[in-house]
Amino acid sequence: MPGSAVDVKDEGAEIAHHELSISKPAHQNASGTVTLLENGEIILIPTPSPDPRDPLNLPTPQKWAIDIILGIFAIFSVLVTSGMGPIFSTVMAYYDNNPRSSDLMTYPTLFMGIGNIIAMPLAMAVGRRPVFLASALILTVGSIWCAASKSLDSHIAGRDILSLAAGQSEALCPLIIQEIHFVHERSSKLAWFSATQSIGTAALTIATAYIVSALGWRWWYGVVSIASGVVFLLAFFVVPESSYPRPSDAYDGYTHIYRDGEPVSVVRATRKNRVPLDYTRYKARTLSHNLKIFHGPANWEAAVTCAKQMGQCILFPNIFWVVLLNSVALGIYVISVTEFSTILSSPPYSYSTSALGLVQAGQIVVSLLMIPILGYGGDQLTKWIAKHRNGVAESEIRLIPIILPVVVLIIVSIIFGHAASHPYQWSPWAITVSYSGIYFAFIGIVLVGYTYSLDSYPERAAPILVLICAIRGLISFGISYGVTKFVAEQGYQGAFNICAIIAGVVAAFGLPVFLWGPKMRQFTMKYAVDHKIAEA
């Protein structure tokens, strides 16, 4: 029937085309355990439907365009919320060094987390497209608000509002990417998104000092508002709705078609053998359909369900570990980003403001390294191991690459602390390189955590992304208030040694997650699979 997620025009032809029988039971494996390869061919997971309006059937160039637009949105979201560091002293001087000026730096992370908690359930109810468009528009208006603010209180309020929208770069954008791409390419696509955000943000953070020197800090917001407005216009014409109802077994790579409660055929798709688009039972994708903001009435029950699922998913041992490791990595990065400018601007290094901005160039380098190593490398590793396991891929394979960023995080944290405590004995490169290393570890852990979680529980992508982003945002907010006291009490060396120990201990719990992850996923399936079916 037309309203189903998967439909077939001719049952017999469909079975013959895919060379499958209907004896394969649905959900025989734990969520996240899939057959990725068969006879040397990559199986498309989730199984795309014959519907031309299925987001998985979007043309590849449009998918790349969507990824780029989401990446640009993320660049300016992160820049305007977290990129004030190089110009903070200038802004603070404008407000006569009012101690409350620090709220301009600390509150955005809190409101980004709140933004995720509000927007993701809303996206489940009304769709991804309207929430993303609203976020781009609010980011534009909020930036104009800050540029035109007449008082510190107004400036803080404007940053809080735009941060609510900027939070969608952390959860909603990865969700959209997950919904338009297949499992075998997910790591590389998320790596491109993360690298685009990181490289763009680093480059513009470097340029921030020069923009403010030439035009003043208000025009820094002006640039962000213009760019966000352009993103809104591009997204309106290019980014369609990515939400699409799928049967649960589509995430196994085999979609069973039922009629009157009985299975009648099985649909499978590979890269070389796609499911033919059916223009008889489904409508073609048109420009008017793409530009439509709301698709159908709002499903507010879905928003409530999303909130309920967040409470369930945080109790999954493997997801709790991912959230905790993300939070630890962010905490260490927050401490380093808060302290590095103080260390390098003081004797014996005495870096200038422009030189401090150039330190961000290291983030460009490590972001470029992340794409082939953790992005394409993660996808290739998954396919290689699946090839040697009769085509079966476990989502825990995605955790193997996390070893690199974890090891880097521990080592460079120790180096950063020692160099900061003994600046006359260490080169400034020890600070700049270890600072970039901490950033590489943070974005690497985020990337692998996203990919593992989305592969493990594809039907719980939204609540899991909210958990990861919101909790680490709240932790970041808490850390930002305690960094100065923590470092003052422990010293740089003691503080970062403690950070390295905590990172090592939390990372060590990844071993039982890796070994017993399939059993964890099997046990939690009743809370993570909706058992939706496709009716013929």
Side-chain angles (χ1 to χ4, degrees), residues 485-510:
K485 183 178 179 181
F486 178 52
V487 172
E489 291 178 350
Q490 302 294 331
Y492 288 117
Q493 184 172 327
F496 278 90
N497 282 346
I498 291 173
C499 288
I501 292 171
I502 293 174
V505 171
V506 173
F509 283 99

Side-chain angles (χ1 to χ4, degrees), residues 108-166:
T109 55
L110 171 64
F111 279 85
M112 287 178 76
I114 294 173
N116 283 316
I117 295 173
I118 296 172
M120 289 299 279
L122 189 61
M124 301 300 290
V126 302
R128 292 29 158 179
R129 176 172 163 83
V131 174
F132 180 72
L133 290 176
S135 298
L137 189 59
I138 292 172
L139 191 66
T140 304
V141 174
S143 298
I144 296 173
W145 178 344
C146 291
S149 60
K150 301 299 183 183
S151 66
L152 177 58
D153 287 338
S154 178
H155 192 173
I156 293 171
R159 284 183 64 78
D160 292 346
I161 295 298
L162 65 83
S163 296
L164 290 172

Side-chain angles (χ1 to χ4, degrees), residues 171-459:
L172 182 61
C173 290
L175 176 65
I176 294 173
I177 292 172
Q178 182 251 3
E179 290 178 331
I180 66 173
H181 292 293
F182 300 103
V183 166
H184 71 274
E185 60 186 2
R186 188 171 292 158
S187 181
S188 57
K189 300 306 181 186
L190 286 172
W192 271 108
F193 167 75
S194 182
T196 299
Q197 170 187 299
S198 300
I199 293 169
T201 303
L204 289 175
T205 300
I206 294 171
T208 290
Y210 300 97
I211 293 173
V212 172
S213 297
L215 302 173
W217 64 264
R218 294 184 184 277
W219 263 108
W220 181 65
Y221 284 111
V223 171
V224 173
S225 65
I226 293 171
S228 300
V230 172
V231 168
F232 172 79
L233 292 175
L234 290 174
F236 181 80
F237 290 102
V238 177
V239 181
E241 178 58 56
S242 64
S243 175
Y244 191 83
R246 299 190 191 284
S248 294
D249 50 7
Y251 299 99
D252 296 330
Y254 296 85
T255 298
H256 297 67
I257 309 300
Y258 289 80
R259 176 177 294 163
D260 299 326
E262 295 295 328
V264 294
S265 65
V266 181
V267 178
R268 188 203 71 181
T270 66
R271 284 200 300 182
K272 296 181 179 179
N273 192 11
R274 300 288 295 261
V275 176
L277 299 183
D278 185 348
Y279 290 95
T280 301
R281 302 193 181 211
Y282 297 98
K283 296 179 180 179
R285 180 178 286 276
T286 61
L287 179 61
S288 60
H289 174 79
N290 286 343
L291 297 183
K292 192 175 180 180
I293 296 179
F294 295 97
H295 293 260
N299 181 6
W300 297 111
E301 184 180 349
V304 176
T305 300
C306 180
K308 174 186 174 183
Q309 291 169 349
M310 287 170 57
Q312 293 173 334
C313 291
I314 193 60
L315 298 178
F316 296 176
N318 47 352
I319 296 303
F320 180 77
W321 174 76
V322 169
V323 171
L324 190 59
L325 186 59
N326 264 257
S327 301
V328 169
L330 175 61
I332 296 174
Y333 175 65
V334 167
I335 297 174
S336 68
V337 79
T338 303
E339 298 297 325
F340 89 94
S341 60
T342 301
I343 297 167
L344 292 177
S345 61
S346 303
Y349 306 135
S350 302
Y351 274 35
S352 65
T353 302
S354 59
L356 289 174
L358 290 172
V359 172
Q360 305 297 322
Q363 296 186 2
I364 298 176
V365 176
V366 298
S367 297
L368 289 172
L369 291 174
M370 182 188 65
I371 296 173
I373 296 174
L374 299 178
Y376 287 101
D379 284 339
Q380 292 301 320
L381 179 65
T382 299
K383 287 182 278 190
W384 183 81
I385 292 180
K387 183 179 179 180
H388 290 79
R389 296 180 61 183
N390 296 321
V392 176
E394 303 275 6
S395 56
E396 282 68 34
I397 297 173
R398 295 291 193 180
L399 293 178
I400 297 176
I402 209 171
I403 295 173
L404 177 61
V406 165
V407 170
V408 169
L409 181 63
I410 295 171
I411 293 174
V412 297
S413 294
I414 295 172
I415 294 174
F416 190 98
H418 279 69
S421 293
H422 308 285
Y424 288 92
Q425 300 175 20
W426 289 77
S427 162
W429 285 102
I431 297 295
T432 57
V433 173
S434 56
Y435 171 66
S436 297
I438 290 172
Y439 183 73
F440 169 79
F442 168 56
I443 60 175
I445 288 171
V446 170
L447 169 64
V448 177
Y450 276 178
T451 310
Y452 168 70
S453 301
L454 296 177
D455 280 11
S456 296
Y457 303 107
E459 292 188 78

Side-chain angles (χ1 to χ4, degrees), residues 47-86:
T47 307
S49 75
D51 186 355
R53 294 183 174 184
D54 184 342
L56 289 174
N57 292 326
L58 285 169
T60 299
Q62 185 174 359
K63 290 185 179 183
W64 272 108
I66 293 170
D67 294 343
I68 292 171
I69 291 172
L70 297 178
I72 295 173
F73 172 79
I75 288 172
F76 289 96
S77 295
V78 175
L79 175 70
V80 75
T81 54
S82 306
M84 186 180 273

Side-chain angles (χ1 to χ4, degrees), residues 21-42:
S21 68
I22 61 173
S23 60
K24 183 184 184 331
H27 316 303
Q28 68 173 5
N29 297 320
S31 174
T33 298
V34 297
T35 301
L36 186 61
L37 295 171
E38 189 165 280
N39 298 323
E41 290 191 37
I42 294 177

